[in-house]
């Protein structure tokens, strides 16, 4: 009996090990991507809705302006490619778009909370609430077309449950909070931002979303336009204002506070909705790692900006034009080699930097749970 028992134990152990191995190699095979966010993942919304983008934006990869705030691709583009899906068309772009494998609702300058600013004031009408409403309309109308036999160029109704829902939003909320509040009420404001984010995630869950890939917000204090080096001549900040990389500490601390609350919220959602996968992606750490090791990774100093002029408090944003500064004419255009820079225009990242970041996060090494994006549908 002892030998027989050992035999059955060995068989069971092998079966369990085989099942675990099969699970570890399982791929989700996502049918589509639905993305929500701001300029970090806008693939043409604001360019289609308002004024069209212009070169040198898009020059490196697309060789034309395609509505992205970069010289080339964004992180969402690299995610789509890695998943074997086409680049996402913006929901607002009615010309030359394809929605068979998903849609992008992200819009530059967008926030989680509603804004009181117009496009002409640097705002966006496409808050996360509106983006989710657009998605629900997209889902409803494409199902209606499909039922009429006219939905061949759209996701099938069953694809919505098999899609991955990606999010990269919150940076503009933090920027607005930094401008308009004191330290005393920062926690209340950030809690409200995260609560509103959570509400929209729940709306999407109720619409059938089951795989959520949620980026936290990046190190806003490391954006070159925020650094004193680009804002004043002969300025020496007080001790503790900047970290070892020249990033503004209090701005990054605000981002970290948001990220901590967002992570806590994702954990709660994971416990509430057991049939859904909620993956929290630490984009802050991925970007900060790149900034901290810029030269080691083949880039110039992280504070250097490729396109635009930002010196001594003079700010002329990326374009192809001449500007007059203290009686001197300067060309406000792209640097010769964008691939050597992390920052494209002082706020957004280059194609090369986005590629570096995407290659790190898709592996799951910056995720909780630590799942590669190809297996992010698996329940923890």
């Amino acid at each position: 009996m002892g030998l027989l028992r050992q035999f059955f134990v060995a068989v069971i152990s092998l079966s369990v090990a085989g099942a675990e191995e099969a699970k570890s190699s399982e791929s989700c095979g996502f049918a589509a991507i639905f993305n929500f966010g701001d300029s970090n993942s806008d693939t043409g919304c604001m360019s289609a809705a308002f004024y069209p983008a212009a070169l040198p934006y898009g020059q490196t990869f697309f060789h034309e302006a395609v509505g992205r705030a970069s010289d080339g691709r964004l992180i969402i583009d690299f995610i789509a490619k890695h998943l074997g899906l086409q680049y996402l068309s913006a929901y607002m772009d009615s010309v030359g778009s394809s929605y068979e494998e998903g849609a992008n609702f992200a819009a530059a300058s967008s926030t989680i909370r509603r804004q009181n600013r117009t496009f002409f004031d640097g705002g966006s009408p496409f808050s996360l609430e509106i983006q989710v409403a657009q998605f629900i309309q997209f889902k409803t109308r494409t199902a209606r077309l499909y039922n009429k036999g006219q939905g061949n160029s759209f996701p099938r109704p069953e694809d919505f449950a098999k899609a991955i829902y990606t999010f990269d939003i919150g940076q503009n909320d933090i920027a607005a909070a930094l401008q308009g509040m004191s330290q005393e009420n920062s926690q209340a404001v950030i809690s409200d931002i995260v609560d509103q984010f959570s509400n929209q995630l729940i709306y999407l869950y109720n619409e059938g979303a089951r795989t959520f890939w949620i980026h936290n917000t990046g190190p806003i204090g490391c954006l070159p336009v925020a650094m004193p080096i680009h804002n004043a001549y002969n300025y020496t900040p007080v001790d503790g204002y900047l970290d070892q990389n020249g990033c503004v500490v209090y701005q990054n601390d605000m981002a970290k506070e948001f990220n901590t609350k967002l992570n806590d919220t994702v954990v709660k959602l994971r416990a509430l909705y057991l049939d859904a996968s909620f993956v929290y992606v630490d984009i802050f750490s991925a970007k900060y790692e790149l900034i901290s090791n810029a030269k080691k990774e083949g880039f110039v100093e992280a504070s250097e900006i490729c396109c635009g002029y930002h010196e001594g408090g003079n700010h002329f944003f990326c374009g192809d034009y001449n500007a007059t500064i203290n009686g001197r004419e300067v060309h406000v255009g792209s640097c010769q080699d964008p691939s050597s820079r992390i920052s494209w225009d002082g706020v957004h990242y280059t194609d090369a930097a986005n590629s570096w970041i995407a290659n790190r996060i898709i592996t799951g090494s910056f995720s909780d749970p630590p799942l590669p994006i190809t297996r992010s549908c698996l329940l923890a």
Side-chain angles (χ1 to χ4, degrees), residues 322-359:
N322 293 325
T324 302
I325 302 169
N326 298 325
R328 179 171 60 94
E329 191 174 82
V330 297
H331 183 66
V332 183
S334 171
C335 61
Q336 187 172 0
D337 182 15
S339 68
S340 68
R341 303 295 206 280
I342 291 174
S343 180
W344 165 241
D345 58 8
V347 177
H348 307 99
Y349 290 70
T350 60
D351 180 283
N354 283 327
S355 174
W356 191 98
I357 297 160
N359 285 336

Side-chain angles (χ1 to χ4, degrees), residues 56-371:
Y57 285 92
Q59 67 177 19
T60 297
F61 180 78
F62 299 101
H63 308 298
E64 61 178 331
V66 289
R68 289 162 170 79
S70 177
D71 63 307
R73 293 159 291 183
L74 308 177
I75 292 172
I76 188 64
D77 292 313
F78 292 102
I79 286 175
K81 180 182 179 182
H82 183 71
L83 295 177
L85 299 171
Q86 62 191 19
Y87 293 143
L88 290 181
S89 292
Y91 172 74
M92 294 296 294
D93 194 354
S94 60
V95 179
S97 294
S98 174
Y99 300 109
E100 190 173 352
E101 295 178 345
N104 193 358
F105 302 89
S109 301
S110 291
T111 49
I112 295 166
R113 300 204 297 180
R114 295 178 182 177
Q115 299 182 19
N116 291 318
R117 295 192 301 168
T118 70
F119 167 78
F120 301 99
D121 302 318
S124 164
F126 305 110
S127 66
L128 182 59
E129 176 186 4
I130 296 300
Q131 292 180 30
V132 171
Q134 289 176 333
F135 164 80
I136 294 172
Q137 182 178 183
F138 178 85
K139 179 171 179 276
T140 302
R141 294 179 67 187
T142 55
R144 196 177 301 140
L145 287 171
Y146 191 84
N147 291 334
K148 292 179 180 179
Q150 302 171 355
N152 292 336
S153 58
F154 298 101
R156 298 167 299 175
E158 60 267 29
D159 290 341
F160 287 86
K162 300 175 183 177
I164 183 170
Y165 292 75
T166 56
F167 304 83
D168 194 325
I169 194 167
Q171 180 172 298
N172 294 318
D173 292 270
I174 302 303
L178 285 165
Q179 293 174 3
M181 70 182 187
S182 62
Q183 289 293 109
E184 290 73 30
N185 64 0
S186 65
Q187 289 202 3
V189 171
I190 289 175
S191 292
D192 182 61
I193 294 169
V194 173
D195 286 346
Q196 292 196 37
F197 196 171
S198 177
N199 290 340
Q200 299 308 317
L201 295 175
I202 293 170
Y203 287 146
L204 288 167
Y205 173 86
N206 290 335
E207 286 292 326
R210 289 298 180 268
T211 302
F212 298 80
W213 180 266
I214 305 165
H215 294 181
N216 66 14
T217 200
I220 189 172
C222 296
L223 298 179
V225 292
M227 295 179 174
I229 189 174
H230 293 294
N231 287 288
Y233 287 117
N234 301 319
Y235 172 69
T236 303
V238 297
D239 288 344
Y241 185 79
L242 303 177
D243 67 10
Q244 68 273 18
N245 293 312
C247 304
V248 180
V249 171
Y250 83 92
Q251 294 184 3
N252 278 351
D253 284 347
M254 186 77 76
K256 290 177 183 178
E257 189 177 342
F258 168 85
N259 292 341
T260 297
K261 291 183 183 295
L262 178 60
N263 190 27
D264 292 344
T265 294
V266 170
V267 170
K268 291 175 183 176
L269 291 172
R270 201 178 291 143
L272 284 172
Y273 302 103
L274 300 177
D275 61 338
S277 174
F278 293 87
V279 181
Y280 173 86
V281 184
D282 189 4
I283 209 81
F284 184 106
S285 293
K287 289 181 175 179
Y288 196 79
E289 181 177 308
L290 173 59
I291 291 164
S292 301
N293 298 285
K295 290 191 173 180
K296 179 182 175 183
E297 296 298 331
F299 296 90
V300 299
E301 291 288 349
S303 60
E304 292 194 29
I305 300 169
C306 180
C307 189
Y309 183 93
H310 303 276
E311 300 295 339
N314 296 297
H315 295 284
F316 294 91
F317 285 88
C318 181
D320 187 13
Y321 61 95
N322 293 325
T324 302
I325 302 169
N326 298 325
R328 179 171 60 94
E329 191 174 82
V330 297
H331 183 66
V332 183
S334 171
C335 61
Q336 187 172 0
D337 182 15
S339 68
S340 68
R341 303 295 206 280
I342 291 174
S343 180
W344 165 241
D345 58 8
V347 177
H348 307 99
Y349 290 70
T350 60
D351 180 283
N354 283 327
S355 174
W356 191 98
I357 297 160
N359 285 336
R360 269 61 181 182
I361 65 171
I362 59 178
T363 65
S365 57
F366 288 91
S367 299
D368 178 29
L371 293 169

